[in-house]
């Protein structure tokens, strides 16, 4: 489900989102070229895993949750009174570090829900309505928030180009909704370690490369609250 296999705010953000889970993180034209992702970020090496269809940031700090961990924890995430909540049973399977990361992530997600007056869907656990994301075609990217961060959907080359154009300008990137914009403004772990410009350039390059190598698929990118990101193919 989640991801961020590659590498999204920490003090006020966590990587749980972890989708980056780590989940979750140059400019290519709409059709995306075949340029391979750069290695401008020493701690954020892009890895192409054909079988998993993902590019991920392999540099995770101690507060980050991997995609595997997020998938393990997600069944224990409840929605109570329009807020995310961790089932107490999860404490028996989580380490102290994992527990802290999850609690921080949930705190950030719940604050976002309140501040933006969002409604959490109890079935999908998303705090932003998404209608037919997997089949609808959009010339712009769309997104959905989760307890671990934000998932950005790209159903066209134009949508990928839009994100890349926004990533090319730091001040504009700050306005990106969800975990990415938050991590940039607060200073997510991945962004601090890489440097904002290098981080945005790397993310844009990875996104363009992933799109170019999956031209016949709809793709999405997971970004957790610490700024770690990963790209995936919609099933």
């Amino acid at each position: 489900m989640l991801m961020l296999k590659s590498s999204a705010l920490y003090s006020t953000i966590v990587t749980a989102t972890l989708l980056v889970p780590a989940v979750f993180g140059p400019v290519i034209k709409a059709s995306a070229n075949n340029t391979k992702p750069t290695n401008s970020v020493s701690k954020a090496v892009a890895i192409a895993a054909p079988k998993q269809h993902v590019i991920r940031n392999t540099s995770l700090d101690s507060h980050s949750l991997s995609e595997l961990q997020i998938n393990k924890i997600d069944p224990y995430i409840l929605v109570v009174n329009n807020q995310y909540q961790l089932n107490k049973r999860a404490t028996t399977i989580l380490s102290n570090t994992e527990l802290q990361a999850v609690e921080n992530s949930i705190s950030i997600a719940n604050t976002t829900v309140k501040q933006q007056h969002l409604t959490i869907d109890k079935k999908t656990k998303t705090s932003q309505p998404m209608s037919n994301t997997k089949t609808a075609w959009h010339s712009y990217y769309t997104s959905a928030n989760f307890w671990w961060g934000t998932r950005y959907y790209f159903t066209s080359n134009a949508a990928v180009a839009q994100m890349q154009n926004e990533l090319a300008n730091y001040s504009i990137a700050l306005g990106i909704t969800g975990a990415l914009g938050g991590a940039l403004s607060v200073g997510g772990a991945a962004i601090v370690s890489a440097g904002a410009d290098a981080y945005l350039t790397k993310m844009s390059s990875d996104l363009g490369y992933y799109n170019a190598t999956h031209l016949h698929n709809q793709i999405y990118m997971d970004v957790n609250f610490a700024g770690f990101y990963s790209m995936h193919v919609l099933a």
Side-chain angles (χ1 to χ4, degrees), residues 3 19 32 34 58 74-75 85 119 141 150-151 160 170 174 206:
M3 95 75 215
L19 176 163
N34 293 315
T58 60
D74 192 65
Q85 190 175 102
T119 298
Y141 67 81
T150 302
R151 177 166 292 173
V160 172
Y170 180 73
L174 282 172
D206 286 348

Side-chain angles (χ1 to χ4, degrees), residues 2 31 60 69 75 90 110-111 145 150 177 184 195 200 225 227 231:
L2 312 160
S31 60
L60 305 181
Q69 291 172 311
N110 285 336
T111 296
N145 297 316
T150 302
T177 59
L184 285 170
L200 293 174
F225 291 127
M231 287 80 177

Side-chain angles (χ1 to χ4, degrees), residues 22 38 121:
T38 64
D121 184 310

Side-chain angles (χ1 to χ4, degrees), residues 8 31 40 93 140 144 158 171 183 200 216:
S31 60
S40 57
I93 66 169
Y140 51 88
S171 61
L200 293 174
H216 301 296

Side-chain angles (χ1 to χ4, degrees), residues 128-156:
Q128 186 168 319
M130 294 296 301
S131 58
N132 297 322
T133 303
K134 294 186 177 182
T135 57
W137 182 93
H138 294 291
S139 60
Y140 51 88
Y141 67 81
T142 55
S143 63
N145 297 316
F146 296 83
W147 63 270
W148 46 261
T150 302
R151 177 166 292 173
Y152 299 91
Y153 299 90
F154 307 92
T155 57
S156 67

Side-chain angles (χ1 to χ4, degrees), residues 1-224:
M1 152 198 167
L2 312 160
M3 95 75 215
L4 235 199
K5 289 180 181 182
S6 166
S7 320
L9 231 123
Y10 196 77
S11 41
T12 289
I13 266 193
V14 96
T15 142
T17 192
L18 300 154
L19 176 163
V20 181
V23 141
F24 124 295
V27 182
I28 293 181
K29 301 194 174 185
S31 60
N33 61 33
N34 293 315
T35 301
K36 293 185 178 180
T38 64
N39 290 319
S40 57
V41 182
S42 61
K43 293 188 177 182
V45 181
I47 296 179
K51 292 183 179 180
Q52 297 177 310
H53 299 292
V54 63
I55 281 182
R56 64 182 178 181
N57 183 319
T58 60
S59 173
L60 305 181
D61 67 12
S62 61
H63 300 296
S64 298
L65 292 177
S66 67
E67 180 179 10
L68 182 62
Q69 291 172 311
I70 289 176
N71 288 333
K72 178 182 71 173
I73 297 166
D74 192 65
Y76 296 93
I77 299 297
L78 308 175
V79 177
V80 180
N81 297 324
N82 201 44
Q83 291 279 276
Y84 293 109
Q85 190 175 102
L86 181 65
N87 189 306
K88 292 181 179 180
R89 291 183 300 165
T91 59
T92 63
I93 66 169
L94 300 177
S95 66
N96 291 334
T97 298
E98 290 176 323
L99 183 60
Q100 180 182 7
V102 174
E103 291 177 340
N104 286 335
S105 180
I106 289 177
S107 176
I108 295 168
N110 285 336
T111 296
T112 299
V113 169
K114 289 182 177 180
Q115 292 180 339
Q116 298 184 17
H117 306 290
L118 303 175
T119 298
I120 304 175
D121 184 310
K122 290 185 177 181
K123 183 177 181 179
T124 64
K125 300 178 187 177
T126 60
S127 58
Q128 186 168 319
M130 294 296 301
S131 58
N132 297 322
T133 303
K134 294 186 177 182
T135 57
W137 182 93
H138 294 291
S139 60
Y140 51 88
Y141 67 81
T142 55
S143 63
N145 297 316
F146 296 83
W147 63 270
W148 46 261
T150 302
R151 177 166 292 173
Y152 299 91
Y153 299 90
F154 307 92
T155 57
S156 67
N157 288 327
V160 172
Q162 178 197 358
M163 173 63 83
Q164 289 185 300
N165 288 334
E166 293 180 8
L167 294 175
N169 187 315
Y170 180 73
S171 61
I172 294 178
L174 282 172
I176 295 177
T177 59
L180 178 55
L184 285 170
S185 62
V186 176
I191 300 169
V192 171
S193 63
D197 289 340
Y199 170 85
L200 293 174
T201 297
K202 186 68 169 60
M203 176 180 280
S204 177
S205 175
D206 286 348
L207 178 60
Y209 176 70
Y210 194 75
N211 181 54
T213 54
H214 298 84
L215 293 177
H216 301 296
N217 302 100
Q218 291 184 359
I219 66 175
Y220 65 90
M221 175 172 69
D222 285 339
V223 181
N224 69 19

